Amino acid sequence: MTVKFLYFAWVREKIGAAEEHVVLPVDVRTVADVLAWQATRGDTYAAVFTAAGIIRVAVDQAHAQPAASIGGAREIAFFPPVTGG
Amino acid sequence: MTVKFLYFAWVREKIGAAEEHVVLPVDVRTVADVLAWQATRGDTYAAVFTAAGIIRVAVDQAHAQPAASIGGAREIAFFPPVTGG
Amino acid sequence: MVVRVQTADFDVGAELTAFTAGRTDIGAVVTFTGLVRGEANGRELRCMTLEHYPGMTEAELQRIDAEAHRRWPLQSSLIVHRIGTLHPGDNIVLVMAASPHRLVAFEAAAFLMDYLKSKAPFWKKEVAVDGTGSWVDARDSDADALGRWS
Amino acid sequence: MVVRVQTADFDVGAELTAFTAGRTDIGAVVTFTGLVRGEANGRELRCMTLEHYPGMTEAELQRIDAEAHRRWPLQSSLIVHRIGTLHPGDNIVLVMAASPHRLVAFEAAAFLMDYLKSKAPFWKKEVAVDGTGSWVDARDSDADALGRWS
């Protein structure tokens, strides 16, 4: 399954990219799974994604909780808590 | 003691005047006293002032409760509950 | 900190520009605009006349404004209320409250309106399209709204 | 019922005029304006960059707006949020809510801002006068404000 990953704010700056196209392992089924998998992708990713609970996730442009399924997702975004307004 | 009475909204319309200059009896000492006294000044006044609790009073341009003194007042206003905004 | 009673209309954009002009410490402005509705109690309205108590009105609005500043750390405030004859869709009242953060601005603006509705000596007379006039009764909900702040 | 994300400034007076134009059923409009403050955490600000998530931002603002209309009998609503580089004193966000009576308009406007602050995908990076940049942290008070509505 190929998915587009998007990064915003300091997550984007630390990863060093705004966008990636990624092939997800078949056993990565939930938001929590994808966060855990990101932390395994080398030091840079580990530094960003190991601090569990900080990074927020949107699946296909809607906020998603850790237990939510990512089955069929085309776009998964990773970002810090929002600070608009 | 001569005092200026002012009337507003439907109180003004029913009394038929916006303003009067009145000599108050010496035993009229509180807002409640002046409301009771107004009700004794003929049928028109009785009709307006007998319905106790409806008419609001301001003494020298500040809201005044029934127990408030009117000693030294120069201007007493009578009006229905306000409806601005 | 500014209170005005006037027959002329007000320009909300111009008032807001003046309200924040040259300042960089304001983070939040809450603006309330009250308008004449074309229908009241099922009757179509031709116009409305706003009567007030000259002198006391300004004094009472100043008291209400001072009370808001006593309760909240406001950077600025404005109350403008129209009098005279107004038509459906016309502006009646404008309230603004500014503070560094939004919760204070929201609360203070709501407080200013609640107090104005129950304390400021204005009275509305509605004239229906058939020409009959009637004084607007005070609403229980406005007294209830005031109770929130005690 | 209208949601916009834009780099350009907004004109509150023009927005308000358009918001109520030709209508005589609106009694109350509450307008919130958020502005860039010149100081943040004791540091003087040179400018601020607002980043967002194109596509999701508009979708999320639409969801927030729809939720407000589900909860209150709103006659109209507007959310305009700026992106890009902004300076102290600049407008950031505009929210308007209209209803026949003021309490609904006040509540809905406060709700729209609370939800926008916690749900809409915008991120602020502040640049101090010494050139150092830092991403703004989410505030606990915004999460608390959201809790009022659940």
Side-chain angles (χ1 to χ4, degrees):
Chain A
M1 173 167 123
T2 302
V3 183
K4 181 161 73 172
F5 278 8
L6 296 176
Y7 302 108
F8 293 98
W10 58 255
V11 175
R12 172 179 53 72
E13 288 184 347
K14 289 192 180 175
I15 297 293
E19 189 174 328
E20 289 183 293
H21 287 80
V22 171
V23 178
L24 279 179
V26 290
D27 60 343
V28 173
R29 295 192 182 89
T30 67
V31 167
D33 291 344
V34 79
L35 285 167
W37 181 73
Q38 286 276 52
T40 69
R41 296 178 64 206
D43 290 350
T44 301
Y45 288 83
V48 171
F49 287 93
T50 303
I54 302 274
I55 306 299
R56 303 292 190 264
V57 176
V59 176
D60 288 337
Q61 307 195 345
H63 291 292
Q65 297 303 308
S69 168
I70 57 163
R74 288 175 300 182
E75 182 174 303
I76 302 179
F78 304 89
F79 45 78
V82 305
T83 56
Chain B
M1 174 166 120
T2 302
V3 182
K4 181 162 75 173
F5 278 8
L6 296 177
Y7 302 108
F8 293 99
W10 59 256
V11 176
R12 173 179 54 72
E13 287 184 347
K14 288 191 180 174
I15 298 293
E19 188 174 328
E20 288 183 294
H21 288 79
V22 171
V23 178
L24 279 179
V26 289
D27 60 342
V28 172
R29 295 192 183 87
T30 67
V31 167
D33 291 344
V34 79
L35 285 167
W37 182 73
Q38 286 276 51
T40 69
R41 296 177 64 205
D43 290 351
T44 301
Y45 288 82
V48 171
F49 287 93
T50 303
I54 303 276
I55 307 299
R56 302 293 190 264
V57 176
V59 176
D60 288 337
Q61 306 195 348
H63 292 291
Q65 296 303 307
S69 168
I70 57 163
R74 288 175 300 182
E75 182 175 302
I76 302 179
F78 305 88
F79 46 78
V82 305
T83 56
Chain C
M1 287 175 280
V2 173
V3 157
R4 296 203 316 267
V5 179
Q6 61 188 45
T7 52
D9 194 10
F10 48 78
D11 177 333
V12 181
E15 297 286 355
L16 187 61
T17 299
F19 195 71
T20 58
R23 298 187 66 153
T24 58
D25 57 335
I26 293 174
V29 180
V30 170
T31 302
F32 177 86
T33 323
L35 303 151
V36 180
R37 294 170 58 203
E39 174 271 330
N41 303 317
R43 296 193 318 161
E44 201 184 334
L45 207 70
R46 178 190 297 167
C47 65
M48 164 181 288
T49 306
L50 263 149
E51 180 173 332
H52 81 126
Y53 182 171
M56 178 170 168
T57 311
E58 293 80 358
E60 194 63 29
L61 293 178
Q62 293 283 6
R63 278 189 283 267
I64 294 166
D65 186 53
E67 179 63 21
H69 281 265
R70 198 182 65 75
R71 292 182 181 222
W72 290 279
L74 294 179
Q75 295 172 310
S76 198
S77 57
L78 172 71
I79 307 175
V80 182
H81 202 297
R82 295 183 69 190
I83 52 172
T85 300
L86 303 176
H87 295 87
D90 282 355
N91 289 319
I92 304 176
V93 62
L94 173 66
V95 158
M96 289 185 187
S99 73
H101 300 293
R102 74 187 185 284
L103 297 183
V104 162
F106 270 115
E107 283 201 355
F111 171 91
L112 288 169
M113 278 308 303
D114 285 350
Y115 266 67
L116 187 156
K117 281 261 179 190
S118 288
K119 299 287 189 185
F122 293 101
W123 300 273
K124 286 176 183 154
K125 187 174 194 173
E126 294 171 345
V127 179
V129 287
D130 66 6
T132 57
S134 55
W135 291 97
V136 174
D137 283 330
R139 293 154 44 101
D140 288 342
S141 61
D142 287 327
D144 295 346
L146 199 66
R148 295 190 288 165
W149 307 107
S150 60
Chain D
M1 287 174 279
V2 173
V3 157
R4 298 204 314 269
V5 179
Q6 61 189 45
T7 51
D9 195 10
F10 48 78
D11 177 333
V12 180
E15 298 286 354
L16 187 61
T17 300
F19 196 69
T20 58
R23 298 188 67 154
T24 60
D25 58 334
I26 293 174
V29 180
V30 171
T31 301
F32 178 86
T33 323
L35 303 151
V36 179
R37 294 169 61 203
E39 174 272 329
N41 302 317
R43 296 195 318 161
E44 201 184 334
L45 207 71
R46 177 190 295 167
C47 65
M48 163 180 289
T49 307
L50 263 148
E51 179 171 333
H52 80 126
Y53 181 171
M56 179 171 167
T57 310
E58 293 80 357
E60 194 62 29
L61 293 177
Q62 294 283 5
R63 277 190 282 268
I64 294 166
D65 187 53
E67 179 63 21
H69 281 264
R70 197 182 65 77
R71 293 183 180 221
W72 290 280
L74 294 179
Q75 294 172 309
S76 198
S77 57
L78 172 70
I79 305 174
V80 182
H81 202 297
R82 296 182 70 191
I83 51 172
T85 300
L86 303 176
H87 295 87
D90 282 356
N91 288 317
I92 304 175
V93 61
L94 174 66
V95 158
M96 289 185 187
S99 74
H101 301 292
R102 74 186 183 287
L103 296 184
V104 162
F106 269 114
E107 283 201 355
F111 172 92
L112 288 169
M113 278 308 303
D114 285 350
Y115 266 67
L116 187 156
K117 281 262 180 189
S118 288
K119 298 287 188 185
F122 294 101
W123 300 272
K124 285 175 183 154
K125 187 174 194 173
E126 294 171 343
V127 180
V129 287
D130 66 7
T132 57
S134 56
W135 291 96
V136 175
D137 283 330
R139 292 154 44 100
D140 288 342
S141 62
D142 287 328
D144 295 346
L146 200 67
R148 296 190 288 166
W149 307 107
S150 59

